[in-house]
Amino acid sequence: MVRKKGSLILCGAFLFVAWNALLLLYLWGRPPIGRLGEGQVNLAGEVIRLAEEVEVQLETQKKLLKQIESHRAVWVRQKDKPVHTVAPHSNPDVIIPILVIACDRVTVKRSLDRLIQYRPSPQLYPIIVSQDCGHAETARVIASYGDQVSHISQPDLSDIRVRPEHRKFQGYYKIARHYRWALNQVFNTFSHTTVVIVEDDLEVAPDFFEYFRALYPILRSDPTLWCVSAWNDNGRDALVDSSKAELLYRTDFFPGLGWMLLKEMWDELEPKWPLAFWDDWMRQPEQRRDRSCIRPEISRTITFGRKGVSLGQFFDQYLRYIKLNTQFVPFTKQNLSYLLKEKYDEKFIKEVYSAPLVKIEELQQGGKGRGIVHFQHTSLFG
Ligand SMILES: *[C@@H]1O[C@H](CO)[C@@H](O)[C@H](O)[C@H]1NC(C)=O
């Protein structure tokens, strides 16, 4: 597009120069004005005629210039159009790949369909499906997307030797191995600088891509953040305010389930990546190191999976009630700097301590309505 506009300008400029060259040749080729022997009236008439001609020429030139100008305006608009609000350290065109972790669930189709449906640009959001487990039917489903996704396969399908009491956790070991391999592919083979990780049982919201693009510069500029997650662990339908789709928070608990990390963070984690239970490992203080994640009030992912290593029971009792956001929020047009630690903490602390103090029993009885309240506890369950 830009190249086409550029050639239009060149074309216009060429016409302009050619027109002037022709005019010059024409004027040079004319018989000289005011030849000897001709009267004053003739000379005056000639000058007027010439002036009129010049006027016509100027009018034509003006039109040409205006045309060039209008092309240039279109071109400049195209080029300089602020696609995203300018935030510190933002690179509006950073490529944000989506890494889909797949194994043996053909329902990965549901994940991929939504991702492709909502993806604003295949160039800015390449989808990399990493498959473990060597499941042929799942591989066929992934292959059916053709060049809409990149399909890579974890090569080491061998069993992992674990201590006897962990034999039933073999699946968790394989997942950790797969994550390590896939993230190394994204950062070292594909050379991306960031990634959003989703699993084959996650369905995304319409503004999933918008959300991560808007938060990329925040993640990049705040060293007290280590991830952006699309998931609210407490995002059950009955607990969230559906009218506040734009609401975002910082959280000290690593939510996972559709999350973004930077290459620098992977470089830190990779050398000590655990053999199993990687998400619980992420939540340990040695890894988290007091850093937070951004999370939305209303989740931008939900999980529809039950099969697999995760607990089906947990899904039935809890995960299935998480609300998936449906309203598109133009996050990239918003000023999200309130999420930076200093600003966020100041406001958050004020808000918490100005809210009425209640006892946990009052909350459980629902006696205080649904406004903001605060309660104090001395232990996690106290
Ligand atoms: C963005 O919001 C912050 C407050 O959180 C304010 O200080 C800053 O000036 C705002 N920036 C713009 C460009 O509006």
Side-chain angles (χ1 to χ4, degrees):
M1 198 62 184
V2 165
R3 189 166 300 157
K4 199 172 150 210
K5 296 292 174 199
S7 66
L8 261 176
I9 290 177
L10 268 181
C11 204
F14 173 75
L15 270 176
F16 182 74
V17 171
W19 187 267
N20 278 296
L22 276 174
L23 181 62
L24 214 61
L25 278 174
Y26 170 71
L27 289 176
W28 271 343
R30 293 169 62 87
I33 305 160
R35 274 162 296 170
L36 285 174
E38 291 197 356
Q40 286 291 318
V41 178
N42 269 358
L43 179 65
E46 186 74 3
V47 168
I48 288 170
R49 210 170 54 76
L50 186 61
E52 274 167 0
E53 246 173 51
V54 166
E55 203 180 335
V56 172
Q57 305 295 344
L58 279 176
E59 197 57 37
T60 314
Q61 288 190 4
K62 204 166 95 184
K63 271 187 206 149
L64 265 176
L65 276 174
K66 271 192 176 153
Q67 245 169 11
I68 294 175
E69 184 59 28
S70 77
H71 289 324
R72 206 175 68 89
V74 170
W75 184 59
V76 167
R77 260 206 304 285
Q78 291 268 333
K79 199 177 133 206
D80 294 350
K81 192 169 138 196
V83 187
H84 315 288
T85 28
V86 181
H89 314 288
S90 78
N91 172 5
D93 289 332
V94 65
I95 293 171
I96 302 179
I98 312 297
L99 172 64
V100 181
I101 299 287
C103 171
D104 59 357
R105 294 189 278 205
V106 290
T107 49
V108 66
K109 182 169 174 21
R110 183 165 157 188
S111 287
L112 292 176
D113 284 347
R114 287 290 171 278
L115 282 169
I116 289 167
Q117 179 187 348
Y118 298 137
R119 175 167 67 164
S121 151
Q123 286 76 40
L124 291 178
Y125 307 94
I127 296 173
I128 301 167
V129 188
S130 180
Q131 194 193 354
D132 196 3
C133 315
H135 192 244
E137 212 183 326
T138 304
R140 266 198 297 279
V141 170
I142 298 165
S144 74
Y145 287 87
D147 59 8
Q148 291 179 292
V149 307
S150 304
H151 185 185
I152 57 175
S153 299
Q154 200 279 111
D156 184 1
L157 302 181
S158 65
D159 270 351
I160 298 166
R161 261 207 285 169
V162 302
R163 53 181 195 269
E165 66 272 27
H166 268 198
R167 224 169 271 147
K168 59 177 179 285
F169 298 133
Q170 178 74 220
Y172 289 97
Y173 283 80
K174 288 188 173 172
I175 287 175
R177 177 174 67 186
H178 185 194
Y179 263 77
R180 173 183 237 153
W181 180 82
L183 284 166
N184 276 331
Q185 289 292 308
V186 167
F187 290 121
N188 301 334
T189 307
F190 289 85
S191 303
H192 289 298
T193 54
T194 183
V195 71
V196 174
I197 305 163
V198 300
E199 292 180 23
D200 57 356
D201 63 346
L202 288 186
E203 182 175 332
V204 304
D207 55 359
F208 179 82
F209 296 92
E210 175 79 5
Y211 173 72
F212 283 108
R213 181 152 303 272
L215 285 160
Y216 171 80
I218 301 291
L219 178 61
R220 189 45 89 201
S221 60
D222 185 344
T224 67
L225 287 173
W226 70 324
C227 98
V228 175
S229 172
W231 177 260
N232 176 8
D233 264 299
N234 293 309
R236 288 178 67 155
D237 216 340
L239 296 178
V240 294
D241 187 342
S242 307
S243 68
K244 292 194 177 141
E246 74 289 349
L247 212 52
L248 306 179
Y249 291 99
R250 295 172 69 104
T251 173
D252 293 342
F253 185 80
F254 172 74
L257 295 173
W259 58 288
M260 174 190 253
L261 88 160
L262 302 176
K263 180 177 193 304
E264 290 76 3
M265 190 52 58
W266 180 240
D267 290 342
E268 176 189 318
L269 297 174
E270 200 270 346
K272 54 175 182 170
W273 191 250
L275 291 173
F277 316 110
W278 68 267
D279 49 345
D280 288 333
W281 174 83
M282 291 277 285
R283 295 178 185 122
Q284 291 171 349
E286 298 81 12
Q287 277 64 253
R288 189 172 79 80
R289 292 168 49 194
D290 260 334
R291 292 170 293 196
S292 308
C293 297
I294 302 290
R295 59 114 178 142
E297 170 71 356
I298 305 177
S299 283
R300 263 60 183 183
T301 51
I302 49 163
T303 168
F304 56 81
R306 317 188 28 172
K307 196 183 148 209
V309 291
S310 301
L311 312 160
Q313 196 187 355
F314 184 58
F315 175 84
D316 280 342
Q317 288 175 354
Y318 198 81
L319 296 180
R320 65 189 291 178
Y321 297 109
I322 298 288
K323 180 184 166 60
L324 180 66
N325 179 59
T326 51
Q327 188 193 329
F328 186 98
V329 176
F331 284 114
T332 59
K333 311 276 190 303
Q334 296 182 351
N335 180 358
L336 299 178
S337 59
Y338 71 90
L339 290 164
L340 299 171
K341 185 174 173 56
E342 227 168 272
K343 285 180 185 148
Y344 185 90
D345 282 359
E346 190 189 320
K347 186 160 165 279
F348 186 75
I349 286 166
K350 248 187 231 161
E351 203 165 294
V352 168
Y353 286 97
S354 64
L357 181 67
V358 298
K359 291 199 174 70
I360 188 77
E361 295 78 20
E362 292 176 86
L363 272 185
Q364 283 162 343
Q365 287 155 13
K368 284 278 174 179
R370 295 191 46 159
I372 299 174
V373 294
H374 105 256
F375 75 94
Q376 287 176 342
H377 52 88
T378 47
S379 73
L380 195 54
F381 304 104

